[in-house]
Amino acid sequence: MKLPRAVAILLTITAVAAACGGGGQSATTLPPEPEPVLTASSAAMGSIDYVRFKIERSGAPVYIDPLETLNFSTAEGQFAGPSSANAVVTLAVGNLNAQIGAIAIDGKTWLTNPITGEWEDAPEGYDFDPTTLFDPDLGWRPLLASGLSNVEWVGEETRNDGPRYHIRAEADQDRVAVILAGLIRKQPVQIDMWIEPTTGFVREAELSTVHEGQTSDWYIEFTEFGEPVDISPPDIES
């Protein structure tokens, strides 16, 4: 049964306030309807202060450098608002796997040298900036607010031992590259999202992208919302 729009929006506002208010209040579950869930999720994902993220790729290679030698595999890191992130990035270089550290602060990115382990300025053409995921004007907030079409309510599921609302939709091509931290070219995709019913946080997402006829599959996960982390520029002179 669909809720009247006014009732749905009121319940959405109440749920978001309860989830963010703290102080021992009991959480309110969002109504199981796409519109109020996406409204709450847009607000929640646009106001994140701290979160841990993971991005995984399988299938066709995706390179993060202009010479197409560094094939992205995974990235795991933390975000601190308003515009800082760190990550450990796993890359395939030929038949070998390598890990590099990455720090991004206010549009500036540093990487560790895969041979020496020393911090360096990211070279021109390096494509990976996880801070864009949570930029309130570029990332998840506008995607959830106005960047989805053909929205489908899949149902209520349990994932990672927690209840989730599963929503599937077509994602606007101008937003897809942003939520994958700049790793792909703009293209429309179908995205599956698993959203926490009491907070509106997107906890997991899956999508596939195509480049030159080859498909890459992506998995995104968010955890540890609100757990503080200090992210500072590296000492590149030592």
Side-chain angles (χ1 to χ4, degrees):
M1 180 182 68
K2 286 189 173 296
L3 294 171
R5 178 179 174 84
V7 175
I9 297 301
L10 177 60
L11 288 174
T12 297
I13 295 172
T14 303
V16 172
C20 299
Q25 298 180 33
S26 59
T28 301
T29 301
L30 294 166
E33 293 281 338
E35 183 177 3
V37 170
L38 292 176
T39 298
S41 190
S42 175
M45 296 299 285
S47 60
I48 288 174
D49 49 3
Y50 302 102
V51 68
R52 176 174 288 276
F53 63 88
K54 176 168 67 176
I55 302 174
E56 297 179 340
R57 179 211 53 83
S58 60
V62 171
Y63 297 99
I64 67 171
D65 65 311
L67 298 178
E68 296 192 346
T69 58
L70 304 176
N71 179 18
F72 177 89
S73 294
T74 66
E76 295 190 51
Q78 297 163 297
F79 169 82
S83 56
S84 301
N86 61 29
V88 174
V89 183
T90 303
L91 306 165
V93 185
N95 294 324
L96 301 176
N97 287 328
Q99 285 189 330
I100 62 173
I103 294 177
I105 301 176
D106 295 329
K108 172 72 174 177
T109 303
W110 299 267
L111 305 174
T112 57
N113 185 296
I115 297 175
T116 67
E118 299 292 328
W119 286 101
E120 302 173 349
D121 292 338
E124 185 176 353
Y126 170 80
D127 295 322
F128 179 65
D129 184 359
T131 64
T132 60
L133 278 73
F134 310 103
D135 186 307
D137 297 320
L138 299 174
W140 277 94
R141 188 199 65 78
L143 172 71
L144 294 161
S146 59
L148 299 175
S149 60
N150 298 321
V151 176
E152 175 188 352
W153 180 264
V154 180
E156 301 179 41
E157 301 175 6
T158 298
R159 288 176 67 96
N160 293 326
D161 298 323
R164 302 287 185 264
Y165 288 158
H166 183 182
I167 292 177
R168 180 179 297 135
E170 301 294 325
D172 180 82
Q173 65 176 6
D174 291 329
R175 303 297 178 194
V176 174
V178 175
I179 67 166
L180 283 175
L183 291 167
I184 65 164
R185 292 173 173 84
K186 292 181 179 180
Q187 58 184 282
V189 302
Q190 179 175 274
I191 183 170
D192 283 77
M193 298 170 290
W194 288 268
I195 298 172
E196 196 167 54
T198 55
T199 65
F201 287 136
V202 176
R203 299 301 300 261
E204 297 175 82
E206 292 180 356
L207 63 149
S208 296
T209 58
V210 178
H211 178 59
E212 296 181 349
Q214 294 185 302
T215 300
S216 302
D217 298 315
W218 300 87
Y219 172 76
I220 306 170
E221 182 181 43
F222 300 118
T223 58
E224 299 180 15
F225 290 88
E227 297 188 17
V229 58
D230 179 45
I231 300 174
S232 303
D235 181 2
I236 63 174
E237 297 180 355
S238 61

